[in-house]
Amino acid sequence: MKVDVILGLQWGDEGKGKIVDVFTPHYDIIARFQGGPNAGHTIEFDAKKFVLHTIPSGIFHRSTLNLIGNGVIIDPFIFINEIDKLAETGVQACENLLISSRAHLILPTHRMLDAISESLKGQSKIGSTLKGIGPAYTDKFARNGLRVGNINEKNFMEQYRVLKEMHFHSINSFSANLTGLTFDGLSFDAYEKKWFEAIGRMKNFRMVEGEQFLNKSLDEGKSVMAEGAQGTLLDVDFGSYPFVTSSNTIAAGVCSGLGISPHRIGKIYGVFKAYCTRVGSGPFPTELNNETGAVLRCNGNEFGSTTGRPRRCGWLDLPALKYSIMLNGVDSLIMMKADVLNTFAKINVCSKYKINGQVKDEFPFDLSNETLEPVYQEMNGWNTRLGGIDSFDALPAPLSEYIRLIEKETGVPVEMVSIGPDRVQTLKQ
Ligand code: GDP
Ligand code: IMO
Ligand code: MG
């Protein structure tokens, strides 16, 4: 058996959570391979809405196991909050959830360092979610990090103390003003106390060597789906650096984030919105700072699932989409939020970039290049509601034409279209 992959092709929030939930009944195991609580994955069904940050989006199907892989970083406080919120609605996540002992921990001081790093950057700040992502991955690669497997060790407190002291050494060397800095509304000391309580509770969860568990499961014929967080354009190597996250969000990250060989990668599904959004700072060629952008934000309810920040909105960007497809080797495209364009008589799609007066269709090294402007192709909108449509064949002609254009430009079939947030509002080719 192979590991299929669902990942985002834009700047995150494409609707990965919804699609993983839709696919889950066909898989034995869903495994998150990177990122941390910077992610916010929304799942809606039976008039209920859930937002997951650390827990894989397969958690609502009792017969599927969910693994938080070694490539993920976990804030115990946020993780336990998620567990408790699910429990309030009757979902006992601990029953079908496994945690890789190699996953790294986000410490309270990582969140402090994240806030300081952003404040020191001033105008050029990344717009981080302030969940400590950059500093926690930095410690992983600097070989200072603490891992989930360490929490059961006798000297865990000592390991924590040493790393915290190292962090405070850096924190004190910055002249950052920390007064008023809170963590989910709590002072540092209060947050740290809750963090340790959460560590205590994490010990009750099933910890596994994720790589052994997954490879054995595949050998036994179990089906596995890897769930990506963020999006390809936020990848630390290939995204719009430095306005990116700190992990490899692309398909290659599945191997290192779960401990499986490239030979074991199966079908790769790329999720993208029928338009584009971005939250946080950084270049965004097709951004619409006008009424049209505001309509997209309003129709699409484009406010961050993790931070509540308004998302920047713009037209679909084909050069960026093609770049993402190339990096991931996408086999199948899934178009989300087509319904958000329902009210438009005309829609634009960026087919090329103009850089220094020259037309290009490649994603450039410097997306912030001031001369870069999108070259648009105008298309007819469908200007009609999609509610009630239950098959690809019944889609309005202009939407079918939009899909055909994307397929022609990318060379990849659009096998699924989502026309609403609910799990049932999903059409398969
Ligand atoms: P993720 O991070 O990729 O899982 O995406 P988010 O959950 O952050 O953001 C996607 C948002 O769009 C969520 O609020 C979803 O409920 C919503 N959504 C997903 N698919 C659709 C769709 O087809 N139409 C509409 N209108 N909303 C959708
Ligand atoms: P999901 O999984 C959208 C963005 C932040 C910021 C940059 C770096 O829900 O699609 P970080 O906290 O990682 O240091 O922030 O990346 N970002 C996301 N944007 N969706 C996400 O996750 C994101 N995770 C991080 O807004 O610009
Ligand atoms: Mg999200």
Side-chain angles (χ1 to χ4, degrees), residues 12-16 38-42 51-52 230 304-306 311:
D13 301 329
E14 296 90 349
K16 301 173 292 291
N38 47 350
H41 295 179
T42 314
V51 180
L52 300 172
Q230 290 78 56
S305 316
T306 297
R311 295 179 184 142

Side-chain angles (χ1 to χ4, degrees), residues 143-371:
R143 298 156 297 173
N144 298 323
L146 299 184
R147 297 183 289 174
V148 171
N150 296 129
I151 69 176
N152 287 321
E153 292 171 350
K154 274 205 200 90
N155 66 343
F156 176 69
M157 282 304 286
E158 178 59 9
Q159 296 179 47
Y160 176 85
R161 193 193 60 75
V162 168
L163 188 53
K164 178 181 165 184
E165 200 169 292
M166 196 194 277
H167 288 162
F168 268 108
H169 196 70
S170 307
I171 290 164
N172 293 333
S173 71
F174 297 121
S175 53
N177 180 4
L178 300 178
T179 39
L181 184 63
T182 57
F183 307 90
D184 292 10
L186 299 170
S187 68
F188 179 82
D189 289 344
Y191 193 82
E192 190 184 43
K193 187 164 173 278
K194 298 243 179 223
W195 190 90
F196 272 108
E197 284 167 15
I199 286 276
R201 287 183 56 194
M202 264 178 83
K203 292 181 182 168
N204 300 327
F205 284 79
R206 271 189 288 171
M207 244 179 255
V208 291
E209 313 296 311
E211 65 286 8
Q212 304 282 4
F213 165 75
L214 277 182
N215 282 288
K216 199 159 160 269
S217 300
L218 290 164
D219 290 344
E220 287 167 359
K222 302 253 166 63
S223 53
V224 180
M225 171 68 86
E227 172 180 3
Q230 290 78 56
T232 302
L233 304 178
L234 288 171
D235 181 272
V236 66
D237 279 282
F238 300 104
S240 47
Y241 194 88
F243 301 100
V244 294
T245 190
S246 299
S247 62
N248 281 118
T249 60
I250 57 172
V254 175
C255 296
S256 54
L258 293 178
I260 52 147
S261 151
H263 293 300
R264 297 204 105 148
I265 298 289
K267 188 163 178 177
I268 300 182
Y269 296 90
V271 184
F272 71 105
K273 281 178 186 163
Y275 50 99
C276 267
T277 64
R278 171 161 209 172
V279 61
S281 332
F284 180 0
T286 61
E287 181 171 14
L288 295 165
N289 284 311
N290 57 17
E291 184 54 30
T292 310
V295 173
L296 287 172
R297 187 172 310 112
C298 176
N299 289 1
N301 191 23
E302 294 294 359
F303 295 89
S305 316
T306 297
T307 58
R309 292 177 292 178
R311 295 179 184 142
R312 300 154 64 192
C313 298
W315 297 119
L316 183 65
D317 181 335
L318 284 175
L321 188 66
K322 286 191 230 177
Y323 181 65
S324 297
I325 289 169
M326 173 190 83
L327 290 169
N328 292 301
V330 171
D331 299 298
S332 171
L333 286 168
I334 302 179
M335 185 205 265
M336 307 301 290
K337 303 187 89 159
D339 55 298
V340 174
L341 298 178
N342 282 357
T343 56
F344 289 86
K346 296 279 179 192
I347 52 179
N348 279 336
V349 51
C350 166
S351 48
K352 300 219 177 325
Y353 297 146
K354 205 184 239 185
I355 305 175
N356 285 321
Q358 286 190 310
V359 176
K360 309 220 168 186
D361 65 0
E362 277 173 18
F363 193 82
F365 168 75
D366 181 13
L367 199 65
S368 309
N369 185 319
E370 280 176 8
T371 71

